[in-house]
Amino acid sequence: MTTEQKQEYDVLGTRPIRHDGTDKVTGRAQYGADLQLPRMIHGAILRSPYAHAKIVSIDTSQAESLAGVHAVVTGADMPEVESRVANLGETSVDVDYLSQNVLARNKVFYKGHTVAAVAAENAHLAEEAARLIRVEYEPLPVVLNVQDAIRDDAVLLHERLKTQSLGLDSSEKPSNIAKYFLYEKGNLDEGFQNATVVVEREFRTATVHQGYIEPHNATALWNLDGHLTVWTSTQGAFMARDQLSDVLDLPVSRITVVPMEIGGGFGGKIAVYMQPLAALLSKKSGRPVKMLMDRASCFEATGPTPGSVIKVKMGADAEGKITAAKAELYYEAGAFPGSPVNPGCMCIFACYDFPHAKVEGYDVVVNKPRTNAYRAPGSTNAAFATETVIDELCEKLAIDPLVFRLKNAAKEGTRRVDGPQFSRIGMWETVDAIRQCDHAKSSKDARQPNIVDGMEYAYGRGVASGFWFNAGLRSSVTATVRPDGTVSLVEGSTDIGGTRTSIAMQLAETLGIAAEDVQPTVADTDGVGYTDVTGGSRTTYATGWAAYEAAKDIVRQLIERAAEIWETDPENITYNNGTVCGPDNRSLSFKEFAKKLNKTGGPITGRGVSDHNEPGGAFATHLVDVAVDQETGKVEIVRYTAAQDVGKAIHPAYVEGQMQGGVVQGIGWALNEEYIYDEQGAMQNPTFLDYRMPTCLDVPMIETLIVEVANPGHPYGVRGAGEVPIVPPPAAIANAIYNAVGIRMTELPMSPPRLLHEMSK
Amino acid sequence: MTTEQKQEYDVLGTRPIRHDGTDKVTGRAQYGADLQLPRMIHGAILRSPYAHAKIVSIDTSQAESLAGVHAVVTGADMPEVESRVANLGETSVDVDYLSQNVLARNKVFYKGHTVAAVAAENAHLAEEAARLIRVEYEPLPVVLNVQDAIRDDAVLLHERLKTQSLGLDSSEKPSNIAKYFLYEKGNLDEGFQNATVVVEREFRTATVHQGYIEPHNATALWNLDGHLTVWTSTQGAFMARDQLSDVLDLPVSRITVVPMEIGGGFGGKIAVYMQPLAALLSKKSGRPVKMLMDRASCFEATGPTPGSVIKVKMGADAEGKITAAKAELYYEAGAFPGSPVNPGCMCIFACYDFPHAKVEGYDVVVNKPRTNAYRAPGSTNAAFATETVIDELCEKLAIDPLVFRLKNAAKEGTRRVDGPQFSRIGMWETVDAIRQCDHAKSSKDARQPNIVDGMEYAYGRGVASGFWFNAGLRSSVTATVRPDGTVSLVEGSTDIGGTRTSIAMQLAETLGIAAEDVQPTVADTDGVGYTDVTGGSRTTYATGWAAYEAAKDIVRQLIERAAEIWETDPENITYNNGTVCGPDNRSLSFKEFAKKLNKTGGPITGRGVSDHNEPGGAFATHLVDVAVDQETGKVEIVRYTAAQDVGKAIHPAYVEGQMQGGVVQGIGWALNEEYIYDEQGAMQNPTFLDYRMPTCLDVPMIETLIVEVANPGHPYGVRGAGEVPIVPPPAAIANAIYNAVGIRMTELPMSPPRLLHEMSK
């Protein structure tokens, strides 16, 4: 592997202003909803009022005859597609289920499931027309949690669904368990026999939503030549293209996806929802069709993260070494298979190095929206269980939780329960960073008076670690040298967290030029090579690597050109730190050389592709102090410090931003966020008023400790940094609450009523 | 030089449907006027009513105080730029003059010259505001033709302008002659002494306009971060960018030019006009500013082709061999230097191989709009003179004009008067093609009765040849293999005449795949490497070559990938005709291989650059039959056949289209088109009603004979094809008119009043 890792960089590790900053702060950046096309019409969706029902009939005639209505589509308009697994980057999806999720055919599987879509002159008219569609339903009993779903007498969602295990149908009859995963290492019995203490607990987590600020959107134009163009905010234009290709049964070359700016995704903007509907409506109407989703539909009909039930049993010896651990994870897939239970299984014990383990995972369908990725999908649920159990083990052994983690930290060579062996990783270093930080050294008691404004608070401190394996996958870029010595960079990664800049910086570092001298552009699917989603914490790692390759390709050509100009062999030319050097002390800076290119053989364009899968595991250890309001059960986050191994922080400000953002989402998940359902499977709180996410008033400044243990699997040592910070918060906060009020919370969210209920027992 | 020329191709020479066809015929293609941006405001221009005047003062206060007006700019807002020559592809421009042409500073030099620009909520308000600007002028005497302009006592346009010759100021005092060119070979006196007959004539041609259907347009957004984006229909986004960089004094990396679809250019959409104004108005207002030009301004204030005076003297011996020729060319540059007189000098005798020649060219400023390129700029004027003189020589020598041309045809090794030596060319072959065609073999008299509908017609046949040297210059593309075996191609050449397809076909041929499997996209200046203008008949030649290089780059990578997959050395892999072959009879088609790429190391992107300057001379020989209405002097084109050496016709239908389009423009130039000025320099006919261009009712189907003498300077033998067909028509028609009515027309246009005047003498 080519690697250019070094101690000091010129560009990497600095904090240049982001290239797209002005557009975003001045409102010029074009998000999906901003798009206007000539003769554009507007779509609306009719959604199921039932969480589980047969569709007996659909009558669209009244809607179609309403003046100003251009097209109506129902399940009958969707091409029949074969059941087949398609890759979605970190996750995958069965194409037939994806198609049914986009538009219900014979059954609806959750409240909010799309039953029909309408396009009309304006959005209001389209909504009115949607209400004129008459659907006859035959309601069915609903299944809303894994316990009910896996009962022998459970109502089945899908007649054709049999449990898959190791890729084979392992159940004889249909089941709501879509998949079963099993990972083992060592000998569990032996392990528990060696334990001095054993803790076994069961945990529950609620369904939570990514809560991206920008709702879903899609505008489609199905041209008369059969070419489909879709403008949408998405985490991956190519993946949106490929899903459209799958569900519409079109070759990828007939589809162009133009990624708009994206107002948050966190894993929730990978799957397609309205894109195929807008496409079909455009095909029928011959007009560009724009569809915008409202917030309630975002909650009810896109992909939140699964609610889960997790059992963990763990033993440790008197020295504080883990001897064995066992876990069962039940994740709600939602209406169609595909929860992140497998990543949950892979992550649940990944922070620790111990010999005996068994992990079982169940992907269970229930009558809720089909879940999708949410920042380190599956790992937060799992860490809540493991890290709370460890805290209890530490208590029983009277060992400091940080010391315990240092003793057991996974390290280079540790083999995960699911098989892979770690290369150089920084788990130990994140614990050590927390141990040495100001926050850890501060007194727990000296922080604040116990009574503030007449209310009595209990203070506690908690710690937890977390793991995310990160993704590698494929990225493509091209880069062209311009005559003023700047470089235009064309990339396929949509920019959610500042990756235009973190990728440009790697190109700049490799060329030995300034970050500001690289100007990045995110292209559509025709303008650049295949690039996987912005997800899996892969973008700075993989697209950055592609940029590094493009820079190398530019350097190769610069050297050849210099050899031509100076009439020598390329071997006599070197390129170092932005300077081309030739024989007889001849040298030219990159900028000087750039000026000459157009007159000495033409411009130079470099291409770079990356397809590497050594993204380096990401580890985080968090420390939190909480104040529990004794009267209301409300938990205040008093101080929060997050340490994380990011390999190499390309742009430390964005790494800090990712860490802080992940922590805040983890705090919301820990304390307040949850889908509240009634017995018929109707979500009771599908608004930001009732679904309570943290605001800036709810959290203190999150302190960050960037740990840099270079990833040997990247030329600049980069590891993905975006996801793992969401993993530790719920467990860290649960441990702090225990520390404050002596109650072990085993269910998320640890909301005031729930905590008050436990405290009043 | 790499060359893949062969007799039979799979893709080249076929006629696939153009990739952008549906968008263009259904009205979906987005031209400059179609663009809408959020919060966009609209610009209008105040133009000079005088052809020559000092600007004493400009008062913009009333305009600025009108409600709804956002910004006003005048010459004072333009950065001062140094006098310096900037390349415009086929032509060049002095940056200071370009700046003054965009926005007048102290003087106006032609009626319609921009004096100020306004941006307001809507276009009507902007126009109203423009009318509120008070400008005090001090009118100056006007100079409207070269004869007046070069007189010793002529009024001078520019105080700093001295005649340049061989790059040096050769006049001591200021002059209206901006440049003087001199080319000589052999000994002129000796040549004329060897002549049996000598003909010497003086010719005049009128100013004519390219007449593109789409007027100029520009929308600009000067972002708060200092980055300028301009959307415009242009023949070259990079050249527009570079001119903006020059006149606004911004680095090219601060500017993005997005090329919109272009409704014709013909050389007239290379220079910038409103783009810098829209930019300055956007900078002042903070809003996107859109500007559309009306038709009258297109005539009065953009760059038509020059009126000219040309003297030609030519001698031939009794065998019909040219012995010597001499020419003086005076071209009206318009208000600022830069007529295409130099190309005129280079082309005027280029069709013929003879020993003694002298050519002098004068670039003369006059009070008309600054001329710009128009299809083979300078050559049509020149050919009108030479080819008419040759017709007269043939008559005097009683030799068939085709035989004469065969005898004297330039050929491989012939040295042009301006120096370069021809490689393999097809002048002789175009004459031979005409000699052998049906049209030539048809009887002149049998065509039609002499009296039609009671009107008496005189019939005549004429022939003429023409030359254009074509351009090479720089082009860049990238191309990415998609998993369905298609290739997306990103190119910098704006598509005027079907070049998306002619470039895609060369990529397809090189890869051994179908033309339809390549999907071309024209990128903005950030999305692809530097690419020169679509002009100079260079696009299919040069960007096609870049596509060929990109295909080669893809093949190199395919071979490396195959070697990895099959675990062998790249030397053991071959790629032929769309199939990768390896050891042990292993083989994969391109499509099969494409499917594997994402799973075997990632997608493949190829890059291609071309910078070659052996574009191959283009020759054409045309045959025309005319019917002259004896009563009105109106000339009807009865039959027209054009033969042209195109090297290799990549897409014959588009080559035919270029030939037909060029001929029709040549017919308009020959018979009707002209700028009619009053004595004060005001154009009297700036509308399409009064400026008479041919319609489909005016011309018969133009017959085309594609001659293919492969250009040794291109891998597929391509020569530029777009420009030379405009060159022969005026001379061919003049010769036909002589044949019909016995009158040698020496002035264009040969309009009914002018011909009637000559006939009634």
Side-chain angles (χ1 to χ4, degrees), chain A residues 23 28 223 253 286 484 607, chain B residues 23 28 223 253 286 484 553 605:
Chain A
D23 275 348
R28 283 244 159 82
N223 211 354
S253 51
D484 65 355
R607 48 163 164 76
Chain B
D23 275 347
R28 282 243 160 83
N223 211 353
S253 51
D484 64 355
D553 192 34
T605 295

Side-chain angles (χ1 to χ4, degrees), chain B residues 6-158:
Chain B
K6 49 186 181 178
Q7 286 303 306
E8 292 295 327
Y9 295 103
D10 296 315
V11 176
L12 308 187
T14 65
R15 298 170 183 235
I17 290 174
R18 63 193 285 169
H19 296 81
D20 50 327
T22 306
D23 275 347
K24 287 189 171 158
V25 298
T26 60
R28 282 243 160 83
Q30 294 284 300
Y31 292 83
D34 297 321
L35 185 76
Q36 299 296 336
L37 294 178
R39 303 186 72 236
M40 189 171 79
I41 56 174
H42 301 264
I45 285 175
L46 177 70
R47 297 184 181 280
S48 168
Y50 296 103
H52 199 189
K54 278 190 190 156
I55 298 173
V56 179
S57 66
I58 304 181
D59 177 1
T60 61
S61 55
Q62 263 192 281
E64 278 163 348
S65 61
L66 186 69
V69 170
H70 288 265
V72 179
V73 298
T74 67
D77 295 293
M78 287 287 274
E80 287 285 333
V81 290
E82 276 185 22
S83 174
R84 167 170 70 75
V85 173
N87 170 44
L88 282 190
E90 281 177 294
T91 58
S92 60
V93 69
D94 178 289
V95 172
D96 173 45
Y97 289 139
L98 174 63
S99 166
Q100 289 190 52
N101 194 38
V102 164
L103 192 47
R105 282 205 274 279
N106 305 316
K107 274 179 80 174
V108 291
F109 291 100
Y110 54 94
K111 179 176 178 292
H113 197 163
T114 298
V115 176
V118 182
E121 283 298 323
N122 61 61
H124 306 295
L125 200 60
E127 281 165 24
E128 193 183 328
R131 283 191 295 270
L132 293 176
I133 296 170
R134 298 280 157 254
V135 185
E136 192 185 336
Y137 296 98
E138 185 182 310
L140 298 168
V142 300
V143 184
L144 289 174
N145 57 56
V146 291
Q147 299 94 317
D148 291 344
I150 65 179
R151 276 211 296 262
D152 276 348
D153 62 347
V155 172
L156 295 173
L157 271 71
H158 303 283

Side-chain angles (χ1 to χ4, degrees), chain B residues 223-301:
Chain B
N223 211 353
L224 289 176
D225 59 6
H227 193 89
L228 170 64
T229 303
V230 173
W231 295 257
T232 187
S233 56
T234 171
Q235 291 182 238
F238 285 89
M239 205 133 280
R241 180 193 72 175
D242 292 356
Q243 291 174 77
L244 283 160
S245 162
D246 285 334
V247 301
L248 297 174
D249 200 19
L250 283 178
V252 292
S253 51
R254 291 259 303 274
I255 306 168
T256 303
V257 173
V258 185
M260 306 299 290
E261 291 295 341
I262 174 168
F266 311 107
K269 287 197 186 138
I270 299 174
V272 293
Y273 296 101
M274 299 187 303
Q275 293 91 336
L277 303 174
L280 291 173
L281 288 169
S282 177
K283 187 182 185 185
K284 275 200 169 181
S285 66
R287 300 276 284 267
V289 176
K290 182 177 187 174
M291 301 185 80
L292 302 176
M293 199 180 272
D294 59 21
R295 181 59 61 184
S297 299
C298 283
F299 277 112
E300 295 189 319

Side-chain angles (χ1 to χ4, degrees), chain B residues 324-567:
Chain B
K326 176 176 178 298
E328 282 170 52
L329 301 88
Y330 300 84
Y331 281 31
E332 294 171 2
F336 301 99
S339 80
V341 69
N342 191 33
C345 293
M346 294 153 77
C347 292
I348 192 159
F349 297 138
C351 290
Y352 305 105
D353 181 26
F354 59 92
H356 309 293
K358 182 179 181 185
V359 179
E360 291 172 285
Y362 299 85
D363 181 36
V364 184
V365 293
V366 296
N367 290 119
K368 293 182 178 177
R370 201 273 193 188
T371 59
N372 259 308
Y374 177 24
R375 211 166 191 157
S379 187
T380 305
N381 315 43
F384 176 54
T386 304
E387 298 290 306
T388 307
V389 166
I390 283 178
D391 206 62
E392 202 172 336
L393 284 176
C394 291
E395 186 195 10
K396 288 188 196 301
L397 291 166
I399 186 168
D400 180 279
L402 291 170
V403 172
F404 182 92
R405 284 176 174 83
L406 289 175
K407 270 183 203 279
N408 291 286
K411 55 188 180 292
E412 187 170 357
T414 299
R415 192 172 283 285
R416 289 202 321 242
V417 62
D418 54 313
Q421 211 168 6
F422 285 122
S423 63
R424 181 77 176 88
I425 50 172
M427 170 63 190
W428 188 93
E429 286 79 358
T430 65
V431 181
D432 190 52
I434 286 291
R435 197 173 51 148
Q436 297 191 37
C437 75
D438 281 351
H439 181 175
K441 288 173 185 162
S442 69
S443 156
K444 290 189 222 186
D445 305 321
R447 286 178 316 253
Q448 289 197 31
N450 257 11
I451 294 177
V452 182
D453 294 342
M455 284 183 285
E456 197 184 346
Y457 289 95
Y459 289 90
R461 174 171 292 176
V463 66
S465 294
F467 167 74
W468 181 247
F469 34 74
N470 295 334
L473 305 174
R474 289 143 307 203
S475 287
S476 304
V477 310
T478 58
T480 295
V481 183
R482 295 194 283 209
D484 64 355
T486 61
V487 176
S488 60
L489 169 65
V490 179
E491 59 198 36
S493 287
T494 54
D495 184 353
I496 306 182
T499 50
R500 280 184 181 87
T501 302
S502 67
I503 296 161
M505 289 171 76
Q506 293 178 67
L507 184 86
E509 180 74 39
T510 316
L511 286 178
I513 62 176
E516 292 79 3
D517 283 345
V518 179
Q519 195 180 319
T521 302
V522 177
D524 65 31
T525 54
D526 293 335
V528 67
Y530 184 88
T531 299
D532 273 300
V533 285
T534 296
S537 300
R538 61 173 295 277
T539 310
T540 297
Y541 169 83
T543 314
W545 195 332
Y548 162 84
E549 294 292 350
K552 290 285 185 194
D553 192 34
I554 287 173
V555 168
R556 264 193 301 278
Q557 295 175 74
L558 284 175
I559 287 175
E560 282 167 20
R561 186 69 59 85
E564 277 172 38
I565 295 171
W566 290 332
E567 296 176 347

